[in-house]
Amino acid sequence: ARAAGRGRGARGAASSSGSGAGTPGGWPDGAALALLLGAGGAVPFVGLTPGGSAALRDLVPPGAPGGSVVAWATSRERRVPLQVAYGASILSFLGAVHWGLAMAGGVRHGALRFAWSVVPSLAAWPCAVLPPCVGLQVSAGGLLAAAAVDLALFRTCSSLPAWYIWGARVPLTAVAVGSLGASLAAEGEGGGARRARTREIARARGGGGRPAS
């Protein structure tokens, strides 16, 4: 009986470690690496914002090793499409988490998880060919929706570990959506300035084309 009790206690401790207790002591093996990789995954979001791109160009000027790649990626015509494409790839990855959980078994609502797991990919699919402002909005909206679903599942089913939710999902979603929002605001301002310049050019051409009185 005592041996059985010890076995049950060991299994309970292992289960607690696997689910994560929200503190470093309760993290499973590999959780710290997962959080580190997640933090690294936020770098492209921040680096492709207007401010992040300017900082990268200052940090890695064109003459430095890799400077030409940085200059190419952070140019105005490529920065936003790259950020939208990256946001779409991350959105697809977040859906795949639920596919993996459903395949592993032992979680509630497995069929519903399979169904939900493909929705982020379907939402992300057209982002790369949408107009920049629309692609930014779809990517940001998709990331927020995916985070809301993960939080709801964490509160109701407890199948997602606390370290994943509070250490990765919430802060990284905030960084990603904030970065996409910064680019969206810049695109709006830039679009307004471009439209104003176009109107000025059109007026100037129209005035030059009038016959002299």
Side-chain angles (χ1 to χ4, degrees), residues 14-86:
S15 175
S16 174
S17 174
S19 62
T23 61
W27 291 357
D29 291 340
L33 177 59
L35 295 179
L36 182 62
L37 292 172
V43 172
F45 280 116
V46 177
L48 292 170
T49 61
S53 295
L56 280 176
R57 286 193 296 269
D58 290 339
L59 185 64
V60 188
S68 59
V69 175
V70 170
W72 177 86
T74 58
S75 61
R76 187 175 65 82
E77 64 271 16
R78 295 186 182 93
R79 179 180 58 78
V80 170
L82 284 173
Q83 192 182 43
V84 170
Y86 185 68

